[in-house]
Amino acid sequence: MTLALKPGTSWTSAYARCVAVAPEAFDDDRVRNHWGGRWHRDGDPAPATSPVDGTSIAGPPRLSAERAASAVRASLDQHREWRQLPFAERRARVGATLDALADHRDLLSLLLVWEIGKPWRLATADVDRAIDGVRWYVGEMDRMLQGRGPLDGPVSNIASWNYPMSVLMHAMLVQVLAGNAAIAKTPTDGGLSCLTLACTLAVREGLPLTLISGAGRELSTALVRSPQLGCVSFVGGRDAGAQVAANVTDLGKRHILEQEGLNCWGVWEHSDWDSLSDQIRGTFDYAKQRCTAYPRFVVQRTLFDRFLTAYLPAVRAVRFGHPLAVEDPGDPLPDLDFGPLINDAKAKHLADQIDEAVSKGGVPLYRGSLADGRFLPGQDTSAYLAPVTVLSPPPSSPLHHAEPFGPVDTIVLVDTEAELLAAMNASNGALVATLSCDDETTAHRLAAGIRAFKVGINRPRSRGDREELFGGLGASWHGAFVGGELLVRAITQGPPDERLPGNFLTYTLQPG
């Protein structure tokens, strides 16, 4: 089987379409920043390559700390004007933005494929979730805003690269709908062109968005500590999140900080192996590069043989490779579980962690091969990693206590309920967990001892965004909980004595 790039999907073609659709934001040789109501040809463009096959792509135009501070001050001016706009007008403009995003859905999705390596099915889902999610708020927010008003300053958004549309763009549009200006830093590792195109379409409808690029350490003072900000929203790792948390706590600033956690799937007194096998295959979507992925299975030792009978066929069935490779030009894009990791450095880092864990006593239960992937002849595959499963990783290994953010599973065997709970709580808090257990009474009793914000019984849990509340426990979350009405409360002001629900490092929360 010889594969070729599907016609019309090359990076060159995708970027040329961006220049044609949004010439104010895309030059032939670089992407612009947007702040102060204008697109600026400023910053220092960094080189970038696609994880898909090493193709050179547009890199982020990194601003200096001083320039970023100017952007924040300009956003405050926009915020003061925007917050006076009637809700009906804000709703109309956001609605028009959603229509424009829908019109360019396929181009936005193609950019996600090249910039962060998502297969087509998952890339389009990211765009669709952003559009559909914000449409829900367009229809529901009027009632949620009763007795509430915008913050005193714009909302600053810092998010990881894995969901540019359904997390970052979604957040900004909801913030704007609620009456705030919104600022975002493009993720360092990917999503620049997709976010720039999306913001261009929003800015054309008059939305007060600021989109800038730069290194986190350079821009953190402006995007986290600026007195002009009304709220800081962060999605990312625990190390960076802890630094943000310390800064916003010192300032008494409103904050929403979603951080990683080791989400675990427990198997206890369970017998529905067919259903579990199907669910295991689904956990490999996007190579487990998401905050609600399940990289750890905690299994009752007496069930291990039956668990393996369900697990191994599922992991062997996972399909990965070049997201745009087809056998025939007329074929649809392949339905893959995942493509590359975010970059070759991440793939090597994980491979090294696996080797170290095995050298110190972990059992390599399953190790896939890149030969099983779908690739173009001679393509660069340095950012790809086939599925790997390690049984009983040693306590000294990062795979024992941290989220790998890649297609790597670890399995821990336990004999008692106490061991089950201890193993599922290895990372001091997680966003989600699941427990496969035949008896629901037993399952719910055990679930009460799992330090995850959402616990699924015989089914996985996800982030969710509309009516359903979302947050975290322990080190996986700090600040206001979100979801539906609580998201709106997190980004608006209510009564002076209001105390927002959530995990706060301090309960001295200043209005706005």
Side-chain angles (χ1 to χ4, degrees):
M1 177 180 65
T2 301
L3 300 177
L5 191 70
K6 186 173 177 64
T9 65
S10 70
W11 168 256
T12 301
S13 173
Y15 191 80
R17 291 166 64 186
C18 290
V19 174
V21 171
E24 66 266 47
F26 294 88
D27 295 328
D28 289 333
D29 61 336
R30 61 176 294 166
V31 179
R32 298 189 175 200
N33 290 295
H34 186 267
W35 58 275
R38 295 192 300 112
W39 290 99
H40 297 262
R41 188 181 166 88
D42 57 5
D44 180 21
T49 58
S50 169
V52 170
D53 59 9
T55 295
S56 294
I57 62 175
R62 300 169 298 188
L63 290 185
S64 65
E66 294 75 18
R67 201 73 162 168
S70 297
V72 172
R73 289 192 294 271
S75 181
L76 178 60
D77 293 336
Q78 286 186 301
H79 177 83
R80 288 169 173 164
E81 180 179 349
W82 179 259
R83 63 178 295 172
Q84 303 301 322
L85 208 65
F87 175 73
E89 179 63 22
R90 301 199 305 263
R91 179 168 56 192
R93 295 189 188 187
V94 172
T97 297
L98 297 175
D99 291 340
L101 293 175
D103 288 342
H104 295 281
R105 178 250 204 182
D106 285 357
L107 177 54
L108 292 165
S109 301
L110 183 58
L111 294 171
L112 288 183
V113 174
W114 279 110
E115 293 190 292
I116 63 175
K118 283 196 171 183
W120 183 252
R121 171 177 59 86
L122 300 178
T124 55
D126 192 14
V127 177
D128 291 344
R129 282 182 59 199
I131 296 170
D132 295 343
V134 179
R135 283 201 195 280
W136 183 85
Y137 282 95
V138 167
E140 298 290 334
M141 189 177 288
D142 195 11
R143 63 176 176 80
M144 300 179 189
L145 289 176
Q146 297 302 314
R148 310 192 65 81
L151 300 175
D152 290 335
V155 182
S156 176
N157 297 271
I158 304 170
S160 55
W161 43 265
N162 51 345
Y163 286 92
M165 291 297 294
S166 62
V167 172
L168 186 50
M169 194 66 193
H170 178 282
M172 289 193 289
L173 292 179
V174 173
Q175 293 157 10
V176 166
L177 185 63
N180 307 295
I183 307 168
K185 183 182 89 67
T186 58
T188 302
D189 289 318
L192 167 70
S193 295
C194 177
L195 283 167
T196 300
L197 177 58
C199 284
T200 306
L201 301 174
V203 166
R204 287 178 179 175
E205 301 300 335
L207 301 193
L209 300 185
T210 294
L211 184 67
I212 58 177
S213 294
R217 61 182 177 276
E218 293 289 331
L219 304 192
S220 61
T221 298
L223 297 181
V224 176
R225 297 189 63 87
S226 290
Q228 295 93 346
L229 298 174
C231 178
V232 175
S233 177
F234 171 88
V235 179
R238 289 194 179 186
D239 291 343
Q243 296 175 11
V244 174
N247 285 325
V248 294
T249 299
D250 290 346
L251 299 172
K253 191 182 297 296
R254 189 175 295 218
H255 54 283
I256 307 164
L257 309 181
E258 177 185 333
Q259 297 160 115
E260 64 188 347
L262 183 60
N263 306 317
C264 295
W265 193 309
V267 181
W268 187 262
E269 297 179 355
H270 180 71
S271 63
D272 187 1
W273 302 111
D274 289 341
S275 295
L276 182 60
S277 186
D278 291 340
Q279 292 167 340
I280 289 169
R281 166 78 183 272
T283 67
F284 280 91
D285 270 1
Y286 195 34
K288 298 182 183 267
Q289 296 179 107
R290 60 186 192 276
C291 65
T292 54
Y294 288 90
R296 165 68 53 79
F297 289 89
V298 181
V299 182
Q300 188 175 5
R301 190 182 307 272
T302 55
L303 298 179
F304 186 49
D305 57 336
R306 281 162 282 181
F307 173 80
L308 279 185
T309 301
Y311 178 87
L312 291 176
V315 70
R316 290 187 181 114
V318 168
R319 302 181 75 227
F320 64 94
H322 194 304
L324 302 173
V326 295
E327 292 183 59
D328 184 89
D331 288 347
L333 291 172
D335 185 11
L336 303 178
D337 295 291
F338 63 87
L341 302 192
I342 187 58
N343 52 48
D344 56 357
K346 177 63 176 180
K348 184 181 185 305
H349 178 67
L350 264 185
D352 290 344
Q353 285 189 344
I354 294 163
D355 290 343
E356 180 186 21
V358 172
S359 71
K360 293 182 177 180
V363 179
L365 193 64
Y366 178 82
R367 194 188 293 265
S369 169
L370 290 187
D372 299 326
R374 293 170 47 93
F375 298 111
L376 302 179
Q379 82 159 80
D380 182 348
T381 60
S382 58
Y384 292 80
L385 183 69
V388 175
T389 309
V390 178
L391 174 66
S392 301
S396 61
S397 169
L399 297 180
H400 180 80
H401 55 77
E403 181 181 23
F405 234 60
V408 180
D409 278 344
T410 57
I411 300 175
V412 174
L413 303 182
V414 295
D415 296 299
T416 67
E417 291 183 354
E419 289 178 329
L420 174 79
L421 295 178
M424 294 189 71
N425 293 330
S427 69
N428 183 27
L431 300 174
V432 296
T434 287
L435 189 62
S436 291
C437 179
D438 291 345
D439 183 68
E440 288 203 8
T441 300
T442 300
H444 285 287
R445 175 173 55 79
L446 292 172
I450 298 173
R451 286 183 56 75
F453 190 76
K454 293 182 179 180
V455 180
I457 306 300
N458 296 314
R459 65 184 181 92
R461 298 307 309 271
S462 64
R463 189 179 194 275
D465 48 21
R466 301 175 183 179
E467 301 97 327
E468 190 175 19
L469 176 68
F470 188 61
L473 295 178
S476 68
W477 194 284
H478 292 299
F481 290 157
V482 297
E485 188 168 347
L486 281 188
L487 173 56
V488 175
R489 289 174 63 184
I491 55 174
T492 56
Q493 296 189 79
D497 59 348
E498 179 179 48
R499 184 166 164 172
L500 296 178
N503 292 336
F504 290 96
L505 298 180
T506 174
Y507 284 100
T508 305
L509 186 62
Q510 300 175 357

